[in-house]
């Protein structure tokens, strides 16, 4: 079962040196301008279960910038996936809006080598056993896909189940 999330380019700390792309949501823009940019992204595509930040460490850490985006997601019944940025205000904003929400617990391929990916997958597995649920995030690198594919084949024997992200989002909404 595959779910699609729409990544929304958001301002990183080193913007514009590091540019997420056209119609990036920026902390210096008025909420209406960022909402116009969000609408632009939302209109490019359909069938997504939620939205996610693309880059955006500065944007997701800024309450006044994030709040209108969260409200809009709530209004549209969209979940929000946070890539795990340490300073993100998303968790508290999502709870206040009762938006289905998930946050990455582990970045699986921050170091894209077989050994490191396997180590991060083991860490993800440990968290899942400890908490009952854990969320990993990875890029679509060939090495990542290869290692994750191999890992998913071992989950049954480890007593674990892979679930869609919206399942994790709904669980967080109800807890």
């Amino acid at each position: 079962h595959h779910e699609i999330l729409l990544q929304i380019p958001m301002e990183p700390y080193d913007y514009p040196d590091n540019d997420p792309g056209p119609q990036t949501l920026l902390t210096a823009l008025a909420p209406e301008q960022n909402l116009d940019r969000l609408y632009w992204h939302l209109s490019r595509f359909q069938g997504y279960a939620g939205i996610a930040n693309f880059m955006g460490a500065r944007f997701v850490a800024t309450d006044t910038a994030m709040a209108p985006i969260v409200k809009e997601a709530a209004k549209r019944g969209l979940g929000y996936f946070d890539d795990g940025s340490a300073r993100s205000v998303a968790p508290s904003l999502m709870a206040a809006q009762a938006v289905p929400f998930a946050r990455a617990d582990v970045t699986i391929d921050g170091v894209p080598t077989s050994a490191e990916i396997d180590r991060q997958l083991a860490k993800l597995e440990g968290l899942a056993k400890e908490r009952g649920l854990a969320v990993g995030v990875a890029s679509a690198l060939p090495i990542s896909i290869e290692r994750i594919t191999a890992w998913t084949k071992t989950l049954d024997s480890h007593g674990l189940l892979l679930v869609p992200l919206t399942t994790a989002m709904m669980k967080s909404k109800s807890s």
Side-chain angles (χ1 to χ4, degrees):
H1 173 72
H2 289 7
E3 292 179 328
I4 297 169
L5 294 181
L6 180 63
Q7 280 189 311
I8 307 295
M10 298 179 184
E11 179 183 356
Y13 280 106
D14 53 354
Y15 181 86
D17 294 338
N18 195 357
D19 188 346
Q23 300 291 318
T24 294
L25 277 55
L26 301 170
T27 55
L29 296 179
E32 303 72 42
Q33 292 172 290
N34 278 323
L35 285 170
D36 281 347
R37 288 178 176 211
L38 177 67
Y39 301 149
W40 185 87
H41 289 291
L42 294 174
S43 72
R44 302 287 145 216
F45 193 64
Q46 23 183 227
Y48 40 86
I51 60 175
N53 59 299
F54 175 63
M55 297 174 144
R58 172 177 278 149
F59 194 88
V60 301
T62 310
D63 255 315
T64 52
M66 271 301 281
I69 305 308
V70 171
K71 281 196 175 105
E72 190 60 31
K75 215 161 55 177
R76 292 170 180 254
L78 293 171
Y80 181 80
F81 176 66
D82 186 287
D83 70 1
S85 171
R87 296 189 193 130
S88 178
V89 296
S92 57
L93 289 173
M94 301 304 145
Q97 288 290 321
V99 173
F101 172 72
R103 179 182 208 161
D105 296 303
V106 176
T107 300
I108 294 163
D109 57 359
V111 178
T113 64
S114 291
E116 190 55 26
I117 289 169
D118 291 348
R119 203 172 78 69
Q120 294 304 319
L121 289 169
K123 181 178 172 184
L124 184 66
E125 207 172 295
L127 284 172
K129 286 178 178 172
E130 186 184 307
R131 299 183 191 160
L133 182 75
V135 177
V137 65
S139 301
L141 299 170
I143 187 73
S144 305
I145 293 167
E146 177 203 316
R147 297 315 308 144
I148 293 167
T149 301
W151 174 73
T152 58
K153 293 175 179 147
T154 69
L155 293 179
D156 256 4
S157 65
H158 296 191
L160 290 170
L161 181 65
L162 205 54
V163 298
L165 184 62
T166 53
T167 302
M169 288 177 162
M170 296 315 284
K171 191 172 187 326
S172 82
K173 186 177 172 182
S174 64
S175 58

